[in-house]
Amino acid sequence: SAFSLGIMTLEEMAYAEELFGDIMRFVALRGEGSQLDAAKLSQALPYFANLSIFRSAIDSWAIGQSFPVMPVSKLHHKPNDFAKVYDLTCDSDGEIKHFVTSRGALSPVLPVHCDGKGSATLALFLLGAYQQSMGNYHNLFGETCSANVTFAGDGEDGVTISRLQSAETSAEILQRARYAPGEMREGVASAAKT
């Protein structure tokens, strides 16, 4: 490169990289089609979701099923960036690899609005009981908190949250796996005394 040959200064190299990134973002935000996937991927921000892809959307991992994923915050802003969604677990494949576009095609990135001021709220839709039952006991995560979210129809604003379910406690998870939490607690306490 020109920098490694001493032709460009560090400041010029930084400016060139920033300019290249701006051009790629401009092209990626205005273009459609699979030929632009590389531009979109080069600009995608990593979004880390507090979930397990394997547990919550197992068919995304196992057979490449595409579930609807979309931001449910900052909806009054036009997307200005792209995201790749990763989970926060030990799963080696904890990534959503395909997103359904508004035209029904698949994209390797999710259009999002990024203002650099905090996190966005994303939602995975159509997961249902099958996905939940397939992944419930992976890595002893147990039942997580869940709820039904209903959006008002016909262009009305409003969201209704119902059927709230609390997460399982650590003791409940251990009991389901045939451990005795009380005995475990006593064993740890006894070992700590010696």
Side-chain angles (χ1 to χ4, degrees):
S1 75
F3 175 72
S4 61
L5 294 173
I7 299 169
M8 291 178 82
T9 66
L10 182 59
E11 292 81 14
E12 291 170 331
M13 181 68 170
Y15 177 74
E17 286 185 4
E18 187 176 331
L19 183 60
F20 177 77
D22 290 345
I23 291 168
M24 292 295 281
R25 187 173 294 106
F26 178 86
V27 169
L29 284 169
R30 283 150 186 82
E32 286 292 325
S34 59
Q35 68 273 18
L36 294 175
D37 285 350
K40 292 176 183 179
L41 277 170
S42 75
Q43 296 303 304
L45 300 169
Y47 273 51
F48 294 99
N50 189 13
L51 59 87
S52 164
I53 302 295
F54 187 85
R55 183 187 181 286
S56 300
I58 192 168
D59 280 354
S60 174
W61 169 84
I63 61 172
Q65 173 71 36
S66 296
F67 292 100
V69 180
M70 69 173 273
V72 291
S73 63
K74 303 177 185 173
L75 295 178
H76 57 287
H77 294 291
K78 185 176 181 178
N80 63 355
D81 230 320
F82 297 99
K84 287 291 294 174
V85 179
Y86 303 93
D87 66 15
L88 289 175
T89 66
C90 62
D91 301 333
S92 60
D93 291 328
E95 169 187 359
I96 297 178
K97 296 182 180 175
H98 300 100
F99 301 91
V100 181
T101 68
S102 59
R103 295 189 172 115
L106 294 180
S107 171
V109 293
L110 178 67
V112 294
H113 177 80
C114 180
D115 58 12
K117 298 177 184 173
S119 60
T121 303
L122 303 178
L124 279 77
F125 296 94
L126 303 178
L127 297 176
Y130 166 73
Q131 296 297 312
Q132 187 175 9
S133 65
M134 289 297 291
N136 264 350
Y137 305 119
H138 171 68
N139 288 344
L140 293 176
F141 285 135
E143 296 282 341
T144 59
C145 297
S146 64
N148 286 353
V149 180
T150 307
F151 293 91
D154 299 327
E156 295 179 28
D157 290 336
V159 175
T160 303
I161 299 174
S162 62
R163 296 187 60 192
L164 294 172
Q165 178 182 330
S166 298
E168 284 183 294
T169 65
S170 299
E172 290 169 332
I173 295 168
L174 289 168
Q175 286 171 338
R176 189 184 57 249
R178 298 194 177 124
Y179 288 96
E183 290 176 17
M184 294 174 72
R185 207 172 306 123
E186 290 172 10
V188 170
S190 174
K193 289 179 184 177
T194 56

